[in-house]
Amino acid sequence: MNWILHTTMVSLNQTVVTEFVLQGFSEHPSLRLFLTGCFLSLYTVALMGNMVIIALVTSSTGLHTPMYFFLCNLATMDIMCTSSVLPKALVGLLSEENTISFKGCMAQLFFLVWSGSSELLLLTVMAYDRYVAICCPLHYSSRMSPHLCGALAMGVWSICAVNSSVHTGLMTQLSFCGPKVITHFFCEIPTLLLLSCSPTYVNTLMTLVADAFFGGINFVLTLLSYGCVIASILRMRSAEGKRKAFSTCSSHLIVVSVYYSSVFCAYINPGSSYSPERSKFTSVLYSVLSPTLNPLIYTLRNKDVMLALRRLLPSFSN
């Protein structure tokens, strides 16, 4: 493979990078066909599943509740996440050399960080929604009003857009003059920091701050919400009530566990302890597998959603 990158000479001692090479899974050529099939299948399922969720929630009045409103936002984030990663990964698997322009790399980084941090923050909001629904059912309508839900959703998108803009903007200020091979199948913060030949102190500090907020504080708030929920379920006298409440929360807990564990493994140490192989594996979990499973875990097991789906399908056949 040709690892030589196109650069534009600025001076005798400095160059401006115009292309990176994504290593992808080139170190495992025997798995290329298998990974192509897996990624294509998962992307198709993720795209179709999350589009179905958006269509169902927007077209079915019975699903116009805070829980499904937030699920619609989650589905949009999952589509953004997979679409920013998988198409380029599939191109890399099908071609001998997989290059990405500097601007393309920054765009991919922006949308990936935006969708990833948005999902972490939204999971906290969804945990609060379940807390109010189960622990304070009589006040649910007043506490989770449409205006508040809209404000929470806008806050999630806006805060995370600012966060992504900061990280992307800081990344564009770095100089890249050493090896230009990104040991990953997409552009992410840790791999790019390892390639920089200029000081990365500010970038690393902001990454740690973001980790502390999105990964730390939100994780604690989510645990507190579900701790109160579980305690409230255990106090219920009705066995049927316990079963229904736990069934709703178990889906959320599964997704929270998978998503947080993969993100922690991938981003908690952006410095010298970074492992490319580990990062690729964990990145597949949160950027590919989680968006594929979310529609199944959150909604397709739900009777209300299945009913809305049966009503929607005849409308397409007519």
Side-chain angles (χ1 to χ4, degrees):
M1 180 180 289
N2 179 19
W3 301 105
I4 300 177
L5 304 171
H6 299 290
T7 56
T8 303
M9 297 301 298
V10 176
S11 66
L12 292 177
N13 296 322
Q14 187 178 7
T15 59
V16 175
V17 176
T18 60
E19 264 186 356
F20 288 108
V21 173
L22 291 170
Q23 184 188 64
F25 301 92
S26 58
E27 71 274 28
H28 303 295
S30 60
L31 298 177
R32 178 170 293 183
L33 184 61
F34 171 75
L35 290 173
T36 300
C38 286
F39 280 6
L40 183 60
S41 300
L42 290 172
Y43 184 48
T44 302
V45 173
L47 202 61
M48 295 302 296
N50 286 294
M51 288 178 66
V52 167
I53 289 176
I54 295 173
L56 287 176
V57 173
T58 54
S59 63
S60 304
T61 55
L63 299 182
H64 291 175
T65 63
M67 174 182 174
Y68 294 108
F69 170 72
F70 293 132
L71 285 175
C72 189
N73 279 267
L74 181 67
T76 304
M77 294 170 188
D78 284 338
I79 291 175
M80 182 191 299
C81 180
T82 54
S83 297
S84 65
V85 170
L86 282 183
K88 189 61 179 174
L90 288 169
V91 170
L93 288 168
L94 296 173
S95 60
E96 290 297 323
E97 182 175 290
N98 186 24
T99 60
I100 185 171
S101 66
F102 182 83
K103 291 183 179 180
C105 185
M106 294 300 105
Q108 187 180 64
L109 178 67
F110 174 82
F111 286 106
L112 184 65
V113 174
W114 189 13
S115 60
S117 57
S118 295
E119 186 151 348
L120 290 170
L121 195 54
L122 186 64
L123 289 176
T124 304
V125 174
M126 294 172 71
Y128 175 73
D129 172 71
R130 291 300 84 201
Y131 162 76
V132 177
I134 294 176
C135 299
C136 311
L138 299 179
H139 303 283
Y140 183 72
S141 298
S142 59
R143 288 195 181 184
M144 301 303 295
S145 64
H147 288 91
L148 177 61
C149 292
L152 288 173
M154 286 297 297
V156 168
W157 285 104
S158 301
I159 290 172
C160 297
V162 172
N163 172 64
S164 184
S165 299
V166 170
H167 287 294
T168 307
L170 289 173
M171 195 66 68
T172 60
Q173 303 302 310
L174 298 180
S175 300
F176 299 91
C177 52
K180 309 303 188 300
V181 179
I182 297 177
T183 56
H184 212 299
F185 60 96
F186 60 81
C187 296
E188 65 166 4
I189 294 175
T191 51
L192 289 171
L193 292 183
L194 291 175
L195 294 180
S196 175
C197 57
S198 57
T200 60
Y201 173 78
V202 176
N203 300 72
T204 302
L205 178 61
M206 292 305 299
T207 301
L208 293 175
V209 170
D211 286 344
F213 176 71
F214 292 102
I217 296 177
N218 281 282
F219 182 66
V220 171
L221 292 175
T222 301
L223 286 182
L224 287 175
S225 295
Y226 284 122
C228 294
V229 166
I230 293 173
S232 179
I233 292 175
L234 294 176
R235 288 195 299 267
M236 292 181 179
R237 295 182 178 181
S238 170
E240 181 66 16
K242 287 183 178 181
R243 188 191 64 81
K244 289 183 178 180
F246 186 75
S247 176
T248 301
C249 296
S250 62
S251 299
H252 293 262
L253 285 172
I254 292 172
V255 173
V256 167
S257 300
V258 172
Y259 197 77
Y260 268 100
S261 59
S262 60
V263 169
F264 281 163
C265 291
Y267 289 103
I268 198 65
N269 290 314
S272 58
S273 61
Y274 174 78
S275 171
E277 290 298 321
R278 183 191 67 183
S279 181
K280 288 179 186 179
F281 173 75
T282 54
S283 295
V284 169
L285 290 179
Y286 77 80
S287 67
V288 182
L289 192 59
S290 180
T292 305
L293 294 178
N294 283 351
L296 302 175
I297 296 174
Y298 274 122
T299 60
L300 297 185
R301 295 170 53 200
N302 186 288
K303 293 180 180 179
D304 294 333
V305 175
M306 296 305 297
L307 180 61
L309 184 60
R310 293 191 190 100
R311 291 174 179 173
L312 183 65
L313 290 178
S315 65
F316 280 106
S317 59
N318 296 334

